[in-house]
Amino acid sequence: MPELPEVETVANGVHQRVHGQTIVSVWTSNKPQTFKSSPEEIAEVLTGARIDRVHRVGKTIVADLSRKGGTKSARPGSPGAQFLVHLGMTGRLLVSSPETEVPAHTHAILTLSGGKELRFVDARRFGRLSVTTEVYGGPGQEPLTISNEDFIALFRNRKTPIKAALLNQSLLHGVGNIYADEALFHAGIRPRRQAGRLTRDELMRLRAALVKVLKHAIKLGGSSVSDYVDAEGVAGFFQLHHRVYSRTGQPCRTCTTPIERIVVGGRSTHFCPTCQK
Ligand SMILES: [Zn+2]
């Protein structure tokens, strides 16, 4: 599943290619699972709207839309409307030339004034498309910009393991399994430790590690552990830099102790029993 760095990579890639363009027409597959807003509403809001900015909120890609002529109605599509794309497990957002063959499992095609098409492709259909008139804020706090004090406050009195708390999207949004494991490794904290019992110093270390790991992954274009590709179809390669994730039994890159795998909160979890306390 794409995590924060992959989603950010896709959002940035799409932004660079489509911002400032107007959506000329919209085609949708009308497969019910994919459309959180009805396909009719999506087409109505998107057609004729200008894409001002594409960015990431949590793990959701958000396109800010505006319309020429200002407020015509309070309906979606008036200034402030947003198009939300959640990639789910296998969703991809591609900017393609109309001549490029439309891949199987394409669920939406937005024809743009610049001549390209923005396509949403999703084989397993856990991805979601919707439109909203309220500014989408996501369920939790943004891990890249949260302050130390707010970060520390998130985990106060939490009895769950820190690994599970990091994955709790209502606390921090966008952190998934890979980056939770990697951040805990870099902070030297075992994943089963009770979140509420971590010291201030440990939590400050964890916040710094999380930011470092996420920013590094964004710089490298995200991980491509599934069939994730960025907006141009180039696979990211952060997985080459994983220290613990998916490295069960392999030597720790810091101390050579074999990496262990446990299950925390139902999720596969990897750590170094020597480097993490
Ligand atoms: Zn180690």
Side-chain angles (χ1 to χ4, degrees):
M1 171 161 328
E3 294 193 20
L4 185 154
E6 289 82 4
V7 177
E8 173 113 356
T9 301
V10 174
N12 290 344
V14 171
H15 173 80
Q16 282 163 22
R17 292 167 183 82
V18 310
H19 79 276
Q21 296 190 42
T22 299
I23 301 162
V24 178
S25 62
V26 176
W27 172 89
T28 56
S29 70
N30 299 2
K31 295 275 190 242
Q33 300 94 321
T34 306
F35 296 92
K36 225 171 120 189
S37 306
S38 73
E40 295 76 24
E41 190 185 3
I42 288 176
E44 187 193 333
V45 171
L46 295 184
T47 306
R50 189 186 116 114
I51 302 171
D52 289 333
R53 184 165 83 107
V54 182
H55 55 111
R56 174 191 62 77
V57 176
K59 285 197 243 189
T60 300
I61 297 168
V62 178
D64 295 342
L65 307 171
S66 65
R67 269 176 195 281
K68 267 195 201 131
T71 322
K72 269 195 276 189
S73 69
R75 299 267 307 142
S78 58
Q82 293 181 320
F83 177 43
L84 307 182
V85 178
H86 197 281
L87 297 172
M89 301 283 287
T90 55
R92 290 184 298 157
L93 205 50
L94 304 172
V95 181
S96 309
S97 300
E99 312 76 77
T100 309
E101 193 180 338
V102 174
H105 311 293
T106 297
H107 297 296
I109 301 176
L110 280 51
T111 303
L112 304 172
S113 54
K116 297 252 173 141
E117 292 178 350
L118 182 59
R119 298 171 177 177
F120 180 69
V121 183
D122 186 10
R124 295 186 59 188
R125 276 195 247 141
F126 288 104
R128 296 288 177 264
L129 303 179
S130 61
V131 286
T132 174
T133 47
E134 286 163 23
V135 174
Y136 179 73
Q141 300 217 46
E142 168 57 46
L144 287 181
T145 52
I146 189 170
S147 70
N148 263 327
E149 290 312 315
D150 288 348
F151 188 83
I152 289 163
L154 282 183
F155 302 104
R156 207 163 281 153
N157 301 325
R158 297 245 159 218
K159 294 199 166 53
T160 53
I162 184 62
K163 167 69 187 282
L166 283 174
L167 295 183
N168 182 343
Q169 300 294 305
S170 66
L171 299 179
L172 285 172
H173 58 210
V175 180
N177 215 24
I178 300 174
Y179 301 102
D181 282 4
E182 293 297 311
L184 286 167
F185 173 80
H186 286 281
I189 297 167
R190 290 213 183 186
R192 276 211 183 106
R193 296 268 307 278
Q194 195 179 313
R197 304 188 83 160
L198 295 178
T199 65
R200 272 184 72 84
D201 279 359
E202 285 175 325
L203 287 170
M204 281 165 69
R205 245 171 32 225
L206 180 57
R207 191 197 67 85
L210 192 57
V211 170
K212 187 179 132 186
V213 163
L214 291 171
K215 283 194 170 162
H216 184 57
I218 290 165
K219 213 170 133 194
L220 295 180
S223 299
S224 63
V225 284
S226 59
D227 58 350
Y228 151 78
V229 287
D230 82 5
E232 269 182 338
V234 181
F237 45 88
F238 183 70
Q239 78 274 18
L240 300 177
H241 296 257
H242 290 170
R243 295 301 179 90
V244 289
Y245 182 78
S246 226
R247 295 191 68 240
T248 311
Q250 295 178 47
C252 172
R253 291 186 168 133
T254 303
C255 74
T256 74
T257 305
I259 299 302
E260 287 187 14
R261 178 188 174 277
I262 54 174
V263 174
V264 179
R267 303 296 297 275
S268 189
T269 296
H270 312 80
F271 72 102
C272 171
T274 302
C275 294
Q276 294 172 255
K277 313 280 182 210

